[in-house]
């Protein structure tokens, strides 16, 4: 199955409008398109997206959907921690700047929960391995990178997110097979 995606972003004063048109290859007649290409998820992959901005949520959900990856959303760090405690996810995408609990604090809390689970594993209980957390940030400073990695994030992607970077990361992590 081969799909194309068109995303037009319009910026007018302080308002941002997002227009998404997803078309099947057979129905493409005109427009400017970014080719995603054919990718296959190796298994059913479910990720948690911790993101407070509704536009960023929608963009990420659509990109992941086009890569055949299921996505659930937490609107802040506190919700992300609660979701992590309730369900097994394959990967977490964590925005750094969110209300209630930011991505750095949420990552630290998730790593604390995992350390507790590791203690439980040592006494013979069946506990899942550590989850990979991908930080999402608009700040490319060395300070910000260090803070994210020190908190326990495994990788960092910069906003605005580029499809090729997301796709490459998911291939490198083994969630997708590359197109042929």
């Amino acid at each position: 199955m081969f799909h194309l995606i068109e995303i037009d972003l319009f910026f007018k004063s302080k308002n941002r409008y997002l227009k998404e048109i997803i078309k099947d290859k057979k129905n493409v007649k005109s427009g400017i398109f970014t080719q995603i290409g054919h990718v296959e998820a190796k298994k059913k992959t479910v990720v948690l997206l911790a993101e407070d901005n509704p536009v960023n949520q929608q963009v990420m959900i659509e990109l992941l959907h086009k890569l055949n990856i299921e996505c659930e959303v937490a609107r802040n760090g506190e919700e992300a921690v609660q979701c992590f405690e309730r369900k097994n996810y394959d990967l977490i995408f964590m925005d750094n700047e969110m209300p209630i609990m930011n991505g750095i604090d949420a990552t630290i809390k998730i790593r604390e929960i995992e350390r507790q689970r590791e203690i439980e594993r040592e006494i013979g209980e069946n506990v899942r391995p550590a989850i990979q957390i991908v930080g999402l940030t608009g700040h490319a400073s060395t300070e910000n990178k260090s803070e994210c990695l020190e908190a326990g994030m495994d990788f960092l992607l910069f906003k605005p997110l580029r499809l090729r970077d997301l796709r490459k990361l998911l291939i490198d992590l083994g969630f997708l097979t590359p197109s042929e």
Side-chain angles (χ1 to χ4, degrees), residues 9-141:
L9 292 173
F10 297 96
F11 297 94
K12 292 183 180 175
S13 63
K14 292 183 181 179
N15 296 321
R16 182 171 18 182
Y17 300 95
L18 174 69
K19 177 185 173 189
E20 296 179 79
I21 303 169
I22 299 175
K23 298 181 178 183
D24 211 336
K25 181 182 177 186
K26 295 175 186 174
N27 297 326
V28 174
K29 294 186 170 112
S30 64
I32 299 169
F33 295 93
T34 302
Q35 182 174 329
I36 290 178
H38 178 72
V39 292
E40 291 182 23
K42 290 187 174 182
K43 64 179 181 92
K44 182 180 177 187
T45 303
V46 181
V47 302
L48 176 63
L49 170 64
E51 171 66 65
D52 62 313
N53 182 299
V55 173
N56 291 343
Q57 288 173 4
Q58 191 61 38
V59 169
M60 189 70 159
I61 289 167
E62 289 296 328
L63 292 176
L64 289 167
H65 177 74
K66 297 310 283 178
L67 296 171
N68 299 315
I69 294 179
E70 188 178 319
C71 178
E72 295 181 10
V73 177
R75 295 170 299 189
N76 59 62
E78 186 175 82
E79 283 183 17
V81 172
Q82 292 168 355
C83 289
F84 172 76
E85 289 180 303
R86 283 194 320 264
K87 185 172 180 177
N88 291 336
Y89 293 96
D90 297 301
L91 183 67
I92 296 175
F93 288 98
M94 184 76 71
D95 181 27
N96 281 4
E97 295 179 10
M98 295 181 287
I100 302 175
M101 180 186 289
N102 67 35
I104 300 292
D105 293 340
T107 299
I108 291 169
K109 182 69 176 164
I110 288 169
R111 295 305 184 208
E112 287 172 1
I113 293 167
E114 287 180 327
R115 280 191 289 281
Q116 181 58 41
R117 288 179 178 170
E118 186 61 32
I119 292 168
E120 292 169 1
R121 177 181 289 130
E122 290 174 6
I123 59 173
E125 295 190 25
N126 186 15
V127 180
R128 64 183 168 185
I131 192 162
Q132 293 175 317
I133 300 175
V134 179
L136 302 173
T137 183
H139 307 288
S141 70

Side-chain angles (χ1 to χ4, degrees), residues 51 56 60 63 93-96 134-146 148-149 153 155-166 169:
E51 171 66 65
N56 291 343
M60 189 70 159
L63 292 176
F93 288 98
M94 184 76 71
D95 181 27
N96 281 4
V134 179
L136 302 173
T137 183
H139 307 288
S141 70
T142 305
E143 241 178 66
N144 187 263
K145 290 178 195 177
S146 296
C148 292
L149 296 175
M153 293 180 184
F155 305 95
L156 202 53
L157 291 177
F158 299 100
K159 297 177 186 177
L161 189 62
R162 295 186 313 203
L163 179 62
R164 69 174 178 245
D165 295 336
L166 176 62
L169 176 70

